[in-house]
Each structure stands twice: as structure tokens, then as C-alpha cells.
Amino acid sequence: MSRGSGKGLSLKDKLDGNELDLSLCDLNEVPVRELAALPKATILDLSCNNLISLPSDFCSLMHLVKLDLSKNRLQQLPLDFGRLVNLQHLDLLNNRLVTLPVSFAQLKNLKWLDLKDNPLDPVLAKVAGDCLDEKQCKQAAVKVLQHMKAIQSEQDRQRQRKLQAEREMEKKREAEQRAKEAQERELRKREKAEEKERRRREYDAQKAAKQEMEKKTKKETVHTRKPASSSRPPQPPRHKPSWSRSVLRVLLFVLFCILCTLAACKLTELQHQPLCVSVNTLYEDVVAALQNHKTLQNMLQHNSQQ
């Protein structure tokens, strides 16, 4: 690998037993893929390089037991750095670290830690103390782990409180929604009842008006059938012209015409006309029939007297 990227240099050539020394290689990046191919290299020295950060897949090198990252320019560690659960020895001397990731608390096997010459947060710097000898470095590992576990526990509690608050808020919203829905249902129910009562009143009013109209109509009909006034004297019924009168008038007119015709045929010069001869003959026959009828009537009257 090249001195900048780590490519072109065989890591196996630098492997000595379980130790892999990549210090002073002027590295800007960590050759994670090549390191992952060497699970036997449990001790890794990356000190005295130009590393500014570690890639996230660096935390997949879970076979590491001892890691030296001293004298680089690291500004932060990956958030899931705690995945390196087998790590026992960690040297971060002379970097640019201010804080450590919360997952650092998961390094339960860490026994040695050096954080000197880093611009650490004052609280973290006080907890880490000095790492001037083996004892202090071991104490730094224990204290820092306890500190990070406390931070993790506090974050977990905050997260739980936040989740609880969110759940309570959600329950409150659900309760408010249920109350709102119940209020809307009650309002709709009341409006429905009011509408039903209004329609019932309208129906009763229409029914009463209809009954009143029927009573009024019936009363007017009764008054119409009764005489206009009981105080007025009864008037004689007016005779209406009947068809018999009309027939009588027609018969009288016809009789008058016959008499006029008969007189004309008897008394005028028209008596010798064929029409008048027929009329006179007919007249004489009628007179003879009437005379015979009168004679018969007298005979019958005479017989009845006897």
C-alpha cells in the first residue's frame, strides 16, 4: 500500500505473530478491508500517522485486543466504537479528542486507557486524570468506563422519560380525540333530537290546521243548507217553465194555423183549389166522426140511465 492510502503495501509483511505495526506509515486512512482479512492481528499499532477520523466500518474489527492510535489528529471516534468489545488496551495520547462516544461504555473488557494531551471536556479530563504510570492508566480505564456508563444511563433515562412523555402525550391526544368525538356525537344526537321535535311540532301544527279547516268547511256547508234567516217569511216557490208549456204552445200554434187554413179554404176563393178541397174533405170527415162519436156517447149515456 502507498504511504497515503495504505494500498500497495502487504500487511502480512508487517505482521509479527499477532502484532501488526503500521506506525510511521504516513497514513491518512485506515485500511479496514485489509485489516479485516487478518483476524490474527489482535494487536494493532497505528500511532504517528495523519489520521483525522476512523471510518465507521473500523468498528467491525472486533478481534482487536490492543489498539494504539496515539499521536494522530483524531477529532472524534465513531459513534459505535463500543462494538470493539474485546479491546483491553487503548492508547489515544496526543490527539484532538474533546469527548468520547456514549457507546464507549460498552468496552467492558477495557483495562488500560491513556487520554493525555487531548483537549478533553473538563469533566472528562478530571475523570480520566493522568496516565503517568501503569496504575494511573488502569484507573483511567475504570473511571472513564464508569463515567461513560453513567452518561449512558442518564441518556437512557432521558430517552425513557422522553418516550414516556411522548406516550403520555399520545394518550392525552387520544383522550382528547375521544372526548372530542364523544362531544361531536352528543352534539349530533342533540341536533337530531331537536330536528325531530321541530318536525313533530310542524306535523302537529299542520294536522291541527287541517282539522280546523275541515271544521270550518263543515260549518259553512251546514249554514249553506239552512234557510238564510228564520225571521224571513217563507216565500212561495217560483214555478219554473216546464216543457209541457212549450208543447202546449206549439199545439196551440199548430191549431191556430189549421183554423186559419180551414177558414181560408171555406170563406175565400181558394176553396176550389186542390189543397183546399182536400182540407175541406178532411174537415167534413172529422166533423162527421165527431158527430158520430157524440151520438154514440149519448146512446151510451141513455143506456146507462136506464
Side-chain angles (χ1 to χ4, degrees):
M1 64 182 176
S2 66
R3 301 184 67 84
S5 63
K7 295 180 180 180
L9 177 63
S10 176
L11 297 183
K12 290 183 179 181
D13 295 339
K14 290 184 171 290
L15 182 62
D16 185 7
N18 62 343
E19 296 184 12
L20 181 60
D21 187 2
L22 297 180
S23 62
L24 299 169
C25 289
D26 198 22
L27 296 176
N28 295 320
E29 299 177 2
V30 179
V32 176
R33 184 176 300 179
E34 290 82 355
L35 293 174
L38 297 174
K40 183 180 179 180
T42 58
I43 299 174
L44 177 60
D45 187 355
L46 290 170
S47 62
C48 301
N49 283 292
N50 298 317
L51 301 177
I52 298 177
S53 63
L54 299 177
S56 58
D57 57 350
F58 181 84
C59 302
S60 64
L61 304 177
M62 298 175 61
H63 59 277
L64 295 179
V65 174
K66 183 177 181 179
L67 177 61
D68 189 351
L69 291 169
S70 62
K71 297 181 181 180
N72 279 281
R73 294 183 294 169
L74 295 174
Q75 298 179 2
Q76 61 183 7
L77 298 178
L79 294 178
D80 54 350
F81 192 80
R83 291 176 59 192
L84 302 175
V85 292
N86 293 315
L87 199 60
Q88 298 179 13
H89 186 286
L90 178 60
D91 192 346
L92 293 170
L93 171 71
N94 194 10
N95 277 280
R96 299 177 182 179
L97 298 173
V98 177
T99 60
L100 297 175
V102 178
S103 64
F104 199 92
Q106 300 173 14
L107 301 177
K108 57 183 179 179
N109 292 315
L110 190 64
K111 301 293 189 299
W112 194 96
L113 177 63
D114 188 357
L115 288 171
K116 291 192 308 297
D117 299 330
N118 280 283
L120 296 175
D121 177 80
V123 176
L124 180 59
K126 184 177 180 180
V127 171
D130 294 328
C131 183
L132 301 177
D133 53 33
E134 189 74 11
K135 182 179 179 180
Q136 289 182 348
C137 292
K138 288 182 178 182
Q139 289 178 349
V142 173
K143 291 180 178 180
V144 169
L145 281 179
Q146 291 177 349
H147 177 69
M148 298 309 298
K149 287 179 180 179
I151 292 177
Q152 186 180 46
S153 298
E154 180 60 26
Q155 287 187 357
D156 290 341
R157 286 192 294 271
Q158 290 180 358
R159 190 179 300 107
Q160 289 297 326
R161 285 195 294 268
K162 184 178 180 180
L163 291 175
Q164 183 65 24
E166 290 177 353
R167 284 195 292 266
E168 291 178 356
M169 184 63 67
E170 183 64 23
K171 290 181 179 179
K172 184 178 180 181
R173 284 195 294 267
E174 291 177 355
E176 291 176 352
Q177 183 66 24
R178 288 194 296 269
K180 183 179 179 181
E181 292 176 354
Q183 185 177 4
E184 291 177 352
R185 286 195 300 269
E186 185 64 24
L187 179 61
R188 289 194 297 269
K189 184 177 179 181
R190 186 165 58 251
E191 289 176 350
K192 185 177 180 180
E194 291 176 355
E195 177 65 18
K196 185 176 181 180
E197 182 63 24
R198 184 186 65 80
R199 287 190 279 109
R200 180 174 295 176
R201 288 197 300 268
E202 289 180 354
Y203 173 79
D204 292 341
Q206 291 176 358
K207 186 176 180 180
K210 184 177 180 181
Q211 291 176 352
E212 185 66 23
M213 182 64 68
E214 290 177 352
K215 289 179 180 180
K216 185 176 180 181
T217 304
K218 187 175 180 181
K219 187 175 181 181
E220 290 177 353
T221 303
V222 171
H223 284 308
T224 302
R225 289 179 179 178
K226 290 182 179 181
S229 176
S230 58
S231 60
R232 294 181 181 179
Q235 297 179 357
R238 296 180 180 179
H239 297 286
K240 296 182 178 180
S242 61
W243 62 275
S244 59
R245 287 190 175 187
S246 300
V247 172
L248 182 59
R249 289 178 181 177
V250 171
L251 291 176
L252 290 174
F253 178 75
V254 171
L255 184 58
F256 176 74
C257 291
I258 292 173
L259 292 176
C260 290
T261 303
L262 186 60
C265 289
K266 284 288 188 181
L267 301 176
T268 65
E269 296 179 353
L270 298 175
Q271 58 183 342
H272 298 292
Q273 295 293 328
L275 179 61
C276 286
V277 172
S278 299
V279 171
N280 291 333
T281 303
L282 179 61
Y283 171 74
E284 291 174 357
D285 292 339
V286 171
V287 170
L290 290 174
Q291 288 177 353
N292 292 333
H293 177 69
K294 186 175 182 181
T295 302
L296 181 59
Q297 199 172 32
N298 290 334
M299 290 176 64
L300 290 173
Q301 186 177 4
H302 178 71
N303 289 333
S304 63
Q305 289 177 355
Q306 290 180 354

